Amino acid sequence: MKPDLFAIGPFVVHGYGLMIALGVAAALFVGEKRAPKLGLNGDHLFSIAIWGVTGGVIGSKVLYWIVELPSILENPAILLDIGHGFVVYGGILGGILGGFLYCRLKKLSFLKYFDLVMPSVALAQGFGRLGCLLAGCCYGRQTDGWFRIVFTESPIAPNGVPLIPTQLISSLANFAHFAVLVWAAKRVKADGQVAGLYLIFYSIGRSLIELLRDDPRGAVGGLSTSQFISLFILIVGVCMVVVFGRRGKERSHVFDRGPGQSR
């Protein structure tokens, strides 16, 4: 597509970087709008975003090094390439850890802010995958079908070959994911369930899109690295929805009994 959108003197605007910036801005805007409706202080969101993005960058880089360990052992110079090589799942896990540490530091309810932030994360990921489309990374398998894309000047994807537009599919799925989570946030019964639903939906969607991708990725047995991690993320998400849901019901039963009737 268009890795470099335009240049102003020596300053080059990269498509991927621009989409990431737009995604973060959109995520913060939506999060701040939703925060008061959930009884939360939106002023904390910017700080949570800083901690989350920092943790996400570190996590995605560390997981990339783990996945590419055999290549790194053969060529340690890979460690010096800081600007390339990231794994999304590492970013998600690192971002969650960063947000958790901030909430602990400020004595905030992590689960409440976790639920607030995760729909915005899905929204940001939708923009991020459009960045992948512009850059040509995360490309799909070759296809003869009508739904395809042909890159002509990508430094990453094979040029002149019809490919499944996995980046566009992922982007649309993430935007839909955002809408579903916002809808679910109005209906869940306990804190932590929206975040659990994010983990469930993302792990399933990521596993499916991996079947269509053809870019170089790590593997664990017959699964890609992301599919392997998705199994554990799915289990964690299901446990969160079920366990937190039961706790929510137990609390509501206690309150329903009225004062002096709890057991």
Side-chain angles (χ1 to χ4, degrees):
M1 290 291 286
K2 193 72 174 175
D4 300 331
L5 296 180
F6 58 88
I8 304 175
F11 181 72
V12 179
V13 176
H14 302 287
Y16 184 81
L18 178 61
M19 288 298 107
I20 292 294
L22 289 176
V24 172
L28 285 172
F29 176 79
V30 171
E32 289 180 351
K33 290 294 184 182
R34 295 181 61 239
K37 299 177 182 178
L38 301 175
L40 299 175
N41 186 351
D43 293 340
H44 286 291
L45 279 181
F46 183 76
S47 297
I48 291 175
I50 295 297
W51 282 64
V53 169
T54 301
V57 171
I58 295 174
S60 61
K61 195 66 180 180
V62 170
L63 186 55
Y64 171 76
W65 285 339
I66 293 174
V67 171
E68 295 296 327
L69 185 59
S71 300
I72 291 174
L73 293 176
E74 293 181 5
N75 180 22
I78 293 176
L79 294 173
L80 301 177
D81 187 2
I82 303 299
H84 298 85
F86 300 94
V87 177
V88 171
Y89 260 131
I92 293 173
L93 297 175
I96 292 172
L97 178 59
F100 173 77
L101 292 175
Y102 177 83
C103 288
R104 287 297 299 270
L105 181 67
K106 296 296 183 178
K107 295 181 173 56
L108 303 174
S109 171
F110 171 66
L111 287 181
K112 288 184 181 295
Y113 279 93
F114 197 13
D115 281 347
L116 170 64
V117 166
M118 295 319 288
S120 289
V121 170
L123 177 63
Q125 287 176 314
F127 283 95
R129 287 305 182 186
L130 291 178
C132 292
L133 181 66
L134 292 172
C137 60
C138 308
Y139 55 86
R141 299 180 182 275
Q142 188 170 343
T143 180
D144 293 325
W146 64 269
F147 191 47
R148 59 187 180 180
I149 188 170
V150 179
F151 292 93
T152 57
E153 49 183 298
S154 172
I156 303 174
N159 292 301
V161 179
L163 304 173
I164 299 173
T166 48
Q167 308 95 329
L168 182 57
I169 296 172
S170 296
S171 178
L172 294 174
N174 279 308
F175 288 135
H177 191 188
F178 161 73
V180 169
L181 291 177
V182 170
W183 176 85
K186 301 176 182 178
R187 292 162 175 80
V188 296
K189 303 300 182 182
D191 296 336
Q193 287 190 302
V194 173
L197 289 173
Y198 169 89
L199 297 179
I200 291 172
F201 295 146
Y202 184 81
S203 61
I204 293 174
R206 183 58 189 268
S207 295
L208 293 175
I209 202 68
E210 286 287 302
L211 299 174
L212 304 177
R213 284 175 55 170
D214 199 35
D215 53 314
R217 286 155 295 144
V220 179
L223 302 175
S224 71
T225 302
S226 292
Q227 287 176 321
F228 179 74
I229 296 175
S230 290
L231 294 175
F232 299 95
I233 297 298
L234 176 60
I235 293 172
V236 171
V238 170
C239 289
M240 288 175 64
V241 171
V242 173
V243 172
F244 292 142
R246 286 178 178 173
R247 289 181 182 176
K249 288 181 179 179
E250 290 172 0
R251 289 172 185 157
S252 65
H253 290 333
V254 170
F255 292 132
D256 289 343
R257 293 190 188 103
Q261 301 180 30
S262 60
R263 292 180 290 179

